[in-house]
Amino acid sequence: MLDPRVLDNHELDAELAALRRGRDASMDEGARDVDLADADRLIERFEEEIRRRHEDPPADL
């Protein structure tokens, strides 16, 4: 899933972990920084969404 806003919290964490594993595996295989730029931007989006959710309390509480 490429849009972190549509995921539940547990899905968001799991997808972020999968993205990091994929990026790390690519690095281990010799990928260059320019090759990893898209993955890094996507990881950043997921991290931002997680931070936002921790800062903003759920509306239904």
Side-chain angles (χ1 to χ4, degrees):
M1 178 60 60
L2 299 180
D3 187 357
R5 295 172 294 167
V6 300
L7 297 174
D8 291 332
N9 288 345
H10 69 280
E11 295 171 322
L12 189 64
D13 292 332
E15 189 67 26
L16 177 58
L19 287 168
R20 287 179 175 159
R21 280 191 307 272
R23 182 196 55 199
D24 292 347
S26 295
M27 289 171 64
D28 290 344
E29 294 175 7
R32 299 174 311 204
D33 288 340
V34 74
D35 298 325
L36 299 171
D38 287 339
D40 287 338
R41 280 192 293 277
L42 190 54
I43 288 169
E44 202 171 286
R45 286 179 57 206
F46 274 75
E47 291 170 340
E48 287 173 14
E49 181 65 18
I50 289 170
R51 273 193 301 277
R52 186 191 65 76
R53 289 184 190 192
H54 286 290
E55 292 171 358
D56 296 340
D60 60 343
L61 286 182

